[in-house]
Amino acid sequence: QAPVTALLSGETVASPNIGGVIGLLIVGVSYFLSRTRYYVWAAYFIIATPYIAVVLASINTNGGASETSYFFMALCVLFASLLLGWKETIIVGIITALSIVFMTIMAGMEVPLTVVTFVAITTGVTSLVSQIRDQFINDLQISQMALKNQVIETEQARLKAERSDQVKSAFLASMSHELRTPLNAIINFTKFVAKGDLGPVNEEQEETLFEVVDSAKHLLNLINDVLDMSKIESGSLNLFVTDDVDLQAILQQIASTSKGLLVDKQVTVETDVPNTLPNIRGDRQRLVQVFLNIMSNACKFTDEGKITVRAHQQGDNVVIKLSDTGPGIAPEDQSAVFQAFMQTESGLRQGGGTGLGMPITKSLVEAHGGHIQLESQSGQGATFTITLPIKSDLLVPTLM
């Protein structure tokens, strides 16, 4: 109110305090430097503020600052410890102590040992704290850098593994195609020879030649499985989709085919597939492959009893269950059923196969927007439940 009253009364107003002006100038310069990313210079200006304040106080009093004012200079050390490293804090502390000594001597005053001691202790403590802080920050930065490098290495390893996997899948697909052509030729030419088209053969030769045909067909099936799996893994499996896949006809076909796989076995095949089962959207050939894979396994592992095929509509889905009275699958082995190149203990005892049939089946079912589930107990047979949507949004008919 005093300046305002003076102005109203016509009195002369005193000039602004020079210390306040300098303080505002220092704050403004510090702010500008910090905004322009000159953080260290901004820190120096902040650290110098208490020092300048005491110097200005000495000038104004014309007799040196009071001892209490010199304690204010310890703020230089505190600011240094907050804004700079421990080495800079020690340098600021030494300069502050020497400045106090010099200023008091120049003012003809006794050196305030208490103040100098306080500055020395403050410098020692704050520099130690700053050193611990700087070490912690340095360790943290090293840890962050190591973590960053680890993430980069992991990402590079992942990309390398993906590239390797793509190359492997492409190689398997290429080799499978190349192997299938000569194998088909071997099968056909061997059949010609076995049937006597190229000359008479005796009974023993004919039997041996048909064993060659059977072995070649088995090898061809294995190659086809590897080819399908490589296509699935590389994402290049294409489905020939239509909207009129007759599941009822497919399941009846699979049941009839299975009888040829059960020769000399006391196993019957029962079907419960209604004629009203709706046609679904899908790839007929691949769906035949799905059910044939499951039925073939059931025939292979079931020595007596029965195999049952059931199907019914459930809302917008068709549910198919294939059950057998075989040895079953223990709970601890069930996770291996749908894993590539993995076989259960009973599967290994039976021999044959690559362990790709069920993983391919699972992938084909999921490609149709469905899912497959296994229910089994050791010694109590197995039931595979396949749920397929009638019209999956994942599939687009190939021919409209």
Side-chain angles (χ1 to χ4, degrees), residues 233-285:
E233 289 183 346
S234 63
S236 60
L237 179 68
N238 296 319
L239 300 178
F240 186 83
V241 180
T242 61
D243 266 335
D244 57 351
V245 177
D246 189 347
L247 275 182
Q248 193 267 345
I250 291 176
L251 295 175
Q252 292 294 349
Q253 174 190 344
I254 297 300
S256 299
T257 303
S258 65
K259 295 177 181 178
L261 303 174
L262 295 171
V263 177
D264 299 329
K265 286 189 176 184
Q266 300 299 317
V267 180
T268 60
V269 178
E270 297 180 359
T271 59
D272 181 11
V273 182
N275 294 328
T276 57
L277 203 65
N279 291 347
I280 71 168
R281 176 180 293 174
D283 184 327
R284 186 184 187 282
Q285 181 181 352

Side-chain angles (χ1 to χ4, degrees), residues 294-316:
I294 301 175
M295 181 61 79
S296 298
N297 283 341
C299 294
K300 180 192 296 186
F301 296 111
T302 305
D303 294 326
E304 59 181 12
K306 65 180 180 179
I307 297 173
T308 306
V309 181
R310 295 186 177 90
H312 67 276
Q313 183 176 352
Q314 182 176 304
D316 295 331

Side-chain angles (χ1 to χ4, degrees), residues 121-142:
I121 294 174
T122 303
T123 301
V125 172
T126 54
S127 62
L128 179 61
V129 173
S130 296
Q131 186 177 12
I132 296 173
R133 179 203 62 195
D134 293 345
Q135 184 62 42
F136 175 78
I137 293 174
N138 185 57
D139 293 342
L140 183 61
Q141 290 174 341
I142 293 174

Side-chain angles (χ1 to χ4, degrees), residues 193-196 199-211:
V193 175
K195 291 178 180 179
V201 294
N202 59 40
E203 184 177 345
E204 184 179 355
Q205 291 172 334
E206 181 181 356
E207 182 180 350
T208 301
L209 288 171
F210 276 114
E211 287 180 359

